[in-house]
Amino acid sequence: DAGVTQSPTHLIKTRGQQVTLRCSPKSGHDTVSWYQQALGQGPQFIFQYYEEEERQRGNFPDRFSGHQFPNYSSELNVNALLLGDSALYLCASTSGLKAVGSYNEQFFGPGTRLTVL
Amino acid sequence: RKEVEQDPGPFNVPEGATVAFNCTYSNSASQSFFWYRQDCRKEPKLLMSVYSSGNEDGRFTAQLNRASQYISLLIRDSKLSDSATYLCVVNKGVLTGGGNKLTFGTGTQLKVEL
């Protein structure tokens, strides 16, 4: 049973460029969340996708956008890259928001390490 | 003020020692609480959930105090393999619109030495 997979593993871009990161959720999961983890910090929530719609969003600018496909995989796009966007980008998957008040464990992928020069 | 605050690290302890991590959270609507472990340059992995009644998993004991908005993790008889960063994590839950959004602390690095 494959876990959460992400591609690419590493990426180097220059300021002003655009980047697309990809995530395939764990088998049986339909909800994907994206997190940004800067060096020495905990992961920060970017947004969450369920049923191909953005359901929640953290405190990130519109330069960060995403998409979820019918097969539940997801993409994170970042436009006009800044030096401060250098971080580990983590994708996490879980089962959907079915039961009010419940929590379903999120499983994280290995991340994509983005360096902006 | 950060939503989740943890002890500053790193903690350097000898093998066999008992080490305690503390965490406070600011949002009283938070519903679920966790400790995650993150090895260097790897993804976070769930170590254990935290309940008000306290829960234990082998050498690990977690405790939640809702009145004080305080979470703790105790590691007894620490091993070299326990060396990692320990992240305190809070979830507001679906009822309060948090869904499965996790809020992480900055993490505390633990180094267990011979």
Side-chain angles (χ1 to χ4, degrees), chain B residues 6-13 17-23 35 59-62 70-78 86 108-110:
Chain B
Q6 293 186 239
D7 281 349
F11 287 12
N12 297 324
V13 302
T18 295
V19 60
F21 299 131
N22 303 311
C23 168
W35 285 100
R59 298 181 294 109
F60 299 82
T61 301
Y70 171 91
I71 307 162
S72 65
L73 174 68
L74 187 75
I75 305 176
R76 291 180 299 279
D77 188 24
S78 53
Y86 290 83
T108 304
Q109 188 178 14
L110 171 66

Side-chain angles (χ1 to χ4, degrees), chain A residues 35 37 40-45 48 56 88 90 94-95 97 99-106 108-110 113, chain B residues 2 31-32 34 36 38 41-44 46 87 91 93-95 97-107:
Chain A
Y35 293 80
Q37 186 174 23
Q41 301 296 314
Q44 298 295 309
F45 176 78
Q48 181 180 82
Q56 293 189 85
L88 178 68
L90 295 160
T94 188
S95 298
L97 310 175
V100 172
S102 71
Y103 173 79
N104 296 320
E105 182 181 347
Q106 292 192 41
F108 284 83
R113 193 164 297 278
Chain B
K2 290 184 178 180
Q31 295 189 352
S32 307
F34 312 92
Y36 273 70
Q38 187 171 26
R41 304 183 76 83
K42 299 284 190 181
E43 72 273 24
L46 179 64
L87 296 155
N91 173 245
V94 176
L95 279 175
N100 279 301
K101 169 190 170 184
L102 299 178
T103 302
F104 287 78
T106 55

Side-chain angles (χ1 to χ4, degrees), chain B residues 63-100:
Chain B
Q63 190 75 49
L64 166 67
N65 184 321
R66 284 188 183 270
S68 303
Q69 296 180 200
Y70 171 91
I71 307 162
S72 65
L73 174 68
L74 187 75
I75 305 176
R76 291 180 299 279
D77 188 24
S78 53
K79 312 290 185 190
L80 293 175
S81 57
D82 294 334
S83 297
T85 295
Y86 290 83
L87 296 155
C88 178
V89 185
V90 169
N91 173 245
K92 286 196 289 187
V94 176
L95 279 175
T96 52
N100 279 301

Side-chain angles (χ1 to χ4, degrees), chain A residues 13-79:
Chain A
K13 292 286 189 178
T14 57
R15 280 177 297 176
Q17 285 189 310
Q18 179 265 344
V19 69
T20 297
L21 311 182
R22 295 177 176 82
C23 170
S24 291
K26 184 177 167 66
S27 177
H29 287 178
D30 56 9
T31 301
V32 173
S33 300
W34 287 92
Y35 293 80
Q36 179 197 66
Q37 186 174 23
L39 197 61
Q41 301 296 314
Q44 298 295 309
F45 176 78
I46 303 175
F47 42 53
Q48 181 180 82
Y49 278 84
Y50 173 65
E51 293 184 333
E52 300 180 48
E53 288 187 16
E54 183 182 294
R55 298 290 176 160
Q56 293 189 85
R57 188 178 184 91
N59 189 25
F60 279 81
D62 291 344
R63 298 187 296 111
F64 289 77
S65 62
H67 188 77
Q68 185 178 35
F69 299 94
N71 67 352
Y72 309 122
S73 66
S74 177
E75 286 182 350
L76 164 65
N77 301 294
V78 187
N79 294 324

